């Protein structure tokens, strides 16, 4: 039995949570407030990522899908306006990539060396994710970060727009995956979308 899928999931979740903590702390949101929702979304993101990379050879779609799901997550669950969700997600990933690149050179001497083996890759994911979480907690505690009036950039019918975009997102991805006949991946996308839609509707009703 290969442990590669389990290793991929474990270290990828650490990495994804690292990005989540960075975004939350940078913009003065308490990371622990939505940690369980973030863990669920992280699990779904990385299940889809593994299947896209290893079953469909569609690795080029993974970053785009991950960023889009994070944008929807921050819009729907954390309730950051859509425009700011886009900005914060991209900024969080850029900072994380910069940190991870620095660690790759520090630990292995080069990016190629970091990618030379699974163990190197896992170590890089673990160390960069852990450092991001610890750094984010420290930054939040000392009160450092950006605080904006996010509501100024909220569209009038943004909740409806987000729901429509999520449904369109699922539809487009399902068409791509349908032609590859990998229906389990469609199920993962559907679960992700149902989770986000549930929050979109419940938040709009003020629950």
């Amino acid at each position: 039995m290969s442990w590669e899928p389990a290793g991929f999931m474990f270290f990828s979740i650490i990495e994804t949570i690292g990005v989540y903590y960075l975004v939350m702390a940078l913009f003065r949101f308490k990371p622990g407030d939505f940690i369980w929702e973030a863990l669920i979304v992280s699990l779904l993101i990385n299940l889809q990522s593994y299947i896209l990379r290893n079953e469909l050879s569609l690795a080029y779609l993974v970053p785009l899908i991950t960023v889009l799901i994070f944008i929807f997550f921050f819009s729907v669950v954390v309730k950051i306006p859509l425009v700011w969700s886009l900005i914060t997600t991209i900024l969080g990933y850029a900072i994380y990539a910069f940190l991870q690149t620095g660690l790759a050179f520090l630990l292995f001497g080069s990016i190629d060396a970091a990618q030379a083996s699974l163990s190197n890759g896992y170590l890089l994911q673990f160390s960069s994710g852990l450092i991001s979480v610890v750094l984010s907690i420290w930054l939040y505690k000392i009160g450092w970060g950006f605080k904006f009036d996010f509501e100024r950039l909220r569209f009038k019918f943004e909740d409806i727009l987000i729901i429509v975009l999520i449904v369109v997102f699922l539809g487009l991805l399902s068409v791509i995956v349908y032609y590859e006949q990998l229906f389990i991946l469609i199920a993962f996308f559907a679960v992700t979308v149902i989770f986000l839609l549930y929050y979109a509707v419940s938040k709009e009703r003020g629950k």
Side-chain angles (χ1 to χ4, degrees):
M1 177 181 176
S2 173
W3 288 97
E4 183 179 345
F8 177 92
M9 288 300 302
F10 176 76
F11 292 103
S12 294
I13 287 174
I14 291 175
E15 188 172 51
T16 307
I17 291 299
V19 175
Y20 161 77
Y21 263 80
L22 267 179
V23 172
M24 294 291 282
L26 281 172
F27 293 92
R28 303 300 301 144
F29 291 98
K30 190 175 181 180
D33 285 351
F34 303 97
I35 186 60
W36 291 111
E37 292 89 342
L39 283 169
I40 293 171
V41 170
S42 176
L43 176 63
L44 292 169
I45 285 174
N46 291 307
L47 281 170
Q48 293 160 172
S49 173
Y50 182 82
I51 295 171
L52 283 168
R53 291 177 189 275
N54 295 279
E55 301 295 333
L56 293 178
S57 299
L58 295 174
Y60 63 91
L61 282 178
V62 172
L64 174 62
I65 291 171
T66 301
V67 168
L68 284 174
I69 292 177
F70 255 120
I71 291 170
F72 291 140
F73 171 81
F74 287 119
S75 297
V76 171
V77 179
V78 186
K79 296 302 287 183
I80 300 175
L82 186 60
V83 172
W84 277 109
S85 293
L86 172 64
I87 294 170
T88 56
T89 299
I90 292 174
L91 182 59
Y93 265 101
I95 294 172
Y96 186 85
F98 178 78
L99 172 65
Q100 192 171 67
T101 300
L103 280 172
F105 280 98
L106 182 65
L107 294 174
F108 306 106
S110 68
I111 300 294
D112 290 337
Q115 298 174 339
S117 68
L118 278 177
S119 59
N120 286 0
Y122 289 159
L123 177 58
L124 181 60
Q125 284 181 300
F126 180 80
S127 57
S128 53
L130 182 62
I131 289 173
S132 295
V133 170
V134 173
L135 178 63
S136 299
I137 292 172
W138 178 72
L139 289 175
Y140 184 84
K141 284 187 174 181
I142 66 173
W144 191 91
F146 305 102
K147 187 67 175 177
F148 298 113
D149 183 7
F150 288 117
E151 295 303 317
R152 291 181 62 186
L153 273 180
R154 186 180 294 280
F155 301 130
K156 187 174 181 181
F157 301 104
E158 186 164 299
D159 287 333
I160 296 173
L161 175 62
I162 291 170
I163 291 172
V164 171
L165 288 174
I166 290 173
V167 172
V168 170
F169 166 73
L170 173 64
L172 291 175
L173 289 177
S174 295
V175 169
I176 295 172
V177 176
Y178 175 79
Y179 284 105
E180 296 289 340
Q181 297 185 352
L182 198 62
F183 298 104
I184 190 171
L185 186 55
I186 296 178
F188 282 129
F189 284 134
V191 170
T192 305
V193 167
I194 289 169
F195 177 81
L196 292 171
L197 287 176
Y198 167 77
Y199 265 89
V201 173
S202 63
K203 291 282 186 179
E204 188 176 4
R205 291 177 178 175
K207 295 183 180 179

